[in-house]
Amino acid sequence: MADSPGCCRPCAACLLCLYSCQWITAKKEKRKGLRTTKCDYSWFLFLFCVFLFTLVWLYFAIIILNDFHNFNEFIFKQRKLWLDWSLVLLIATAVLITYSAVLLVLALCLQLCGQPLKLHWLHKTLLILTALTVAAAFTGLGIKWAEEWRSARISLQATGPFLHIGIVGGMTLLAWPLASFIYRTRNRGLKVFLLLVYCMVMIALYLAPLGITSPCIMEENQLPPKPALVGHRGAPMLAPENTLMSLHKAVDCDVQVFETDVMVSADGVPFLMHDEELIRTTNVQAVFPERAALNSTTFNWTDLQQLDAGSWFLERRPFPTVQSLSAGDLYQATKQRIPSLEQVLEAAKQSNISIMFDLRPENHSDYQSFVNATLEVILQSGIPLQQVLWLPDGFREQVKQQAPGVQQVYGRKRLQNEKEPLLHVNLPYQDMSSEEIRQYRQDNISVNLYVVNQPWLFSILWCSGVSSVTTNACQVLKEMKRPIWLLPSSTYLMIWIVVDCASFLAILWAFLLLKKCSQRRRPAESETDVLLTKINSLMQE
């Protein structure tokens, strides 16, 4: 066992013990003739690939946190079980990435110390399970949540420049164990192959910024105005969703539009509710257990007024922010009831905040009567009609005739032969590119994108020039005075050149230093071999 300079034998034996799950000293290793075989190198390559695989999944896990509340609601709808599954996701991902990272670091340290890479069968089994688990996660993401692939592409506009720096740094550090292996191995073909692959990867990384684009690479004076905030069901991180308390909390967050969902009771009263069932956001199972699974529209207004629409917020804690609320806020939440549209319009009028809503369910047989009842309440409320943003597509022409002052918001992009120009569009943030947002802005079309919770996503849309965003986290986005990062193109070019030059010099230094160490070690190894040969000859004589 030839030790590298600075690698003591006890440390090397300890590393080998952790990696191979057996304690092997230098004498035992020499007696057993342990060396790294082609199979061992194959397992090291597999370990490296699994680490990269889990690293990519970690990135995805962080990105999809923006939309994870939708996943929690989906699971509740299917299983009637509420849990913050984002914690489960992050903990499981952290365990997988930590395990593969520790194994990889051990392998690289063993390579630097000149030790054999004898991966234990238990580690091999766990690595295979890790790869299968991550593959299953990606498959499930592609089948059930395909739009998150588009979210990942958008995220690269926010993280691309920094990912480039990180990957260049990681590949630069990889030069040390690579150089150590190249100077140790006698297989010339393998040396040439590894060097060619490494050089091609580094050249591609050095030139990668040519393909990196981001709307936040711009001059400070080109930054568009900050997007207005639209409260998704109010301020659902600070109060029970679709309640008067949630509306008032949204007003405190400087939200300009209260986005909500309207249904109509059996006796014709429009009220606020997102789900078709009342189970998630009320205590209907306790008050009306035999009717709990029925559609919300089957209840009359008197029944709906008996329901508690706030205690669930404290029991299930849909967001981590619930535990940081004051005692007064917690008490107020327990007093919330399902509000009627009339009550909400009055509160919006007093707070000078606009209201945007969907009318559900769209496929109901009495949908036209729902539209009529909702219009009647709006017209009788006295709220300025320009403060009402109408989202439903059903019977839109009727709405235009009866309430021409109501602002029409469309959930689609404009068509080529549009008879009437669109003034407002409301779309998922994945459905519009930065170029489309800029074009709509130039054409004076207001673009609202939903649901935007994470500062990195808000920053990208801000730089793109979006008019407004619908958010659950109004208290977070309110505090942002500028995008997370904003770089002039000249500054980014300078960073690019400095990083590439520093990486190249570090790689060159690693190869030269290890070459010098290798040349010093060879004469000593030769003298040792000669001495051992002489001793062996004398013993035979």
Side-chain angles (χ1 to χ4, degrees), residues 155-295:
S155 72
L156 292 176
Q157 298 178 357
T159 61
F162 308 100
L163 284 178
H164 168 251
I165 295 173
I167 295 173
V168 168
M171 292 299 295
T172 301
L173 292 176
L174 195 60
W176 287 87
L178 178 64
S180 174
F181 174 79
I182 286 175
Y183 290 132
R184 291 177 185 279
T185 186
R186 298 177 181 178
N187 190 327
R188 185 177 297 274
L190 184 59
K191 285 183 180 181
V192 173
F193 174 75
L194 289 176
L195 280 174
L196 283 176
V197 170
Y198 185 75
C199 289
M200 287 190 294
V201 170
M202 293 309 301
I203 291 172
L205 286 175
Y206 289 158
L207 299 178
L210 293 174
I212 294 176
T213 59
S214 173
C216 288
I217 299 179
M218 61 164 60
E219 300 295 331
E220 184 83 32
N221 56 12
Q222 296 176 335
L223 181 66
K226 181 180 178 178
L229 300 181
V230 176
H232 185 229
R233 309 173 199 170
M237 289 188 176
L238 305 176
E241 65 180 58
N242 284 335
T243 61
L244 291 176
M245 179 183 176
S246 191
L247 184 149
H248 293 310
K249 287 293 184 180
V251 172
D252 293 341
C253 287
D254 297 335
V255 163
Q256 296 186 13
V257 180
F258 174 64
E259 186 275 339
T260 186
D261 307 276
V262 174
M263 291 190 178
V264 179
S265 67
D267 51 349
V269 178
F271 64 96
L272 269 57
M273 182 60 56
H274 175 268
D275 298 1
E276 293 190 9
E277 297 177 0
L278 298 167
I279 296 175
R280 183 175 64 86
T281 57
T282 71
N283 64 336
V284 67
Q285 288 177 311
V287 180
F288 303 109
E290 70 285 352
R291 301 166 58 193
L294 296 180
N295 192 289

Side-chain angles (χ1 to χ4, degrees), residues 211-487:
I212 294 176
T213 59
S214 173
C216 288
I217 299 179
M218 61 164 60
E219 300 295 331
E220 184 83 32
N221 56 12
Q222 296 176 335
L223 181 66
K226 181 180 178 178
L229 300 181
V230 176
H232 185 229
R233 309 173 199 170
M237 289 188 176
L238 305 176
E241 65 180 58
N242 284 335
T243 61
L244 291 176
M245 179 183 176
S246 191
L247 184 149
H248 293 310
K249 287 293 184 180
V251 172
D252 293 341
C253 287
D254 297 335
V255 163
Q256 296 186 13
V257 180
F258 174 64
E259 186 275 339
T260 186
D261 307 276
V262 174
M263 291 190 178
V264 179
S265 67
D267 51 349
V269 178
F271 64 96
L272 269 57
M273 182 60 56
H274 175 268
D275 298 1
E276 293 190 9
E277 297 177 0
L278 298 167
I279 296 175
R280 183 175 64 86
T281 57
T282 71
N283 64 336
V284 67
Q285 288 177 311
V287 180
F288 303 109
E290 70 285 352
R291 301 166 58 193
L294 296 180
N295 192 289
S296 305
T297 58
T298 63
F299 291 78
N300 60 44
W301 180 238
T302 303
D303 292 340
L304 292 171
Q305 282 295 90
Q306 298 180 45
L307 299 179
D308 178 354
S311 295
W312 71 273
F313 182 70
L314 307 182
E315 294 167 1
R316 298 192 181 121
R317 299 192 175 189
F319 297 97
T321 49
V322 177
Q323 61 188 9
S324 62
L325 297 180
S326 66
D329 286 340
L330 296 177
Y331 175 76
Q332 186 181 357
T334 63
K335 300 301 180 182
Q336 296 304 301
R337 294 291 182 264
I338 297 175
S340 67
L341 179 60
E342 180 182 359
Q343 293 171 327
V344 171
L345 290 174
E346 180 62 29
K349 182 171 63 173
Q350 293 179 359
S351 302
N352 194 29
I353 184 175
S354 298
I355 179 171
M356 177 170 66
F357 61 87
D358 264 323
L359 186 57
R360 300 171 179 269
E362 296 87 348
N363 57 355
H364 199 282
S365 58
D366 292 331
Y367 193 72
Q368 185 171 8
S369 66
F370 291 176
V371 173
N372 293 334
T374 303
L375 275 177
E376 183 180 354
V377 170
I378 292 173
L379 294 173
Q380 292 178 355
S381 68
I383 189 173
L385 293 184
Q386 64 269 21
Q387 286 182 229
V388 179
L389 286 72
W390 186 275
L391 277 172
D393 285 327
F395 305 97
R396 191 183 287 274
E397 293 303 319
Q398 174 188 334
V399 176
K400 290 180 181 179
Q401 293 176 4
Q402 295 185 18
V406 169
Q407 298 190 58
Q408 298 295 324
V409 183
Y410 294 83
R412 60 172 176 82
K413 296 180 182 179
R414 60 182 173 182
L415 306 175
Q416 289 185 350
N417 300 320
E418 196 81 55
K419 294 182 180 179
E420 183 178 345
L422 303 183
L423 296 179
H424 307 277
V425 296
N426 180 61
L427 293 167
Y429 71 88
Q430 300 99 332
D431 288 359
M432 290 202 79
S433 65
S434 297
E435 293 74 20
E436 287 177 316
I437 293 173
R438 291 194 188 99
Q439 187 60 52
Y440 276 49
R441 184 165 175 261
Q442 291 176 4
D443 297 339
N444 294 320
I445 299 176
S446 175
V447 177
N448 180 70
L449 300 182
Y450 62 89
V451 173
V452 178
N453 300 319
Q454 297 294 326
W456 67 262
L457 180 56
F458 184 67
S459 298
I460 288 297
L461 298 178
W462 183 347
C463 294
S464 299
V466 74
S467 308
S468 59
V469 299
T470 300
T471 180
N472 292 323
C474 60
Q475 77 283 1
V476 175
L477 304 187
K478 170 191 174 183
E479 301 300 327
M480 292 182 63
K481 306 304 180 185
R482 64 195 309 275
I484 291 178
W485 64 271
L486 195 67
L487 285 177

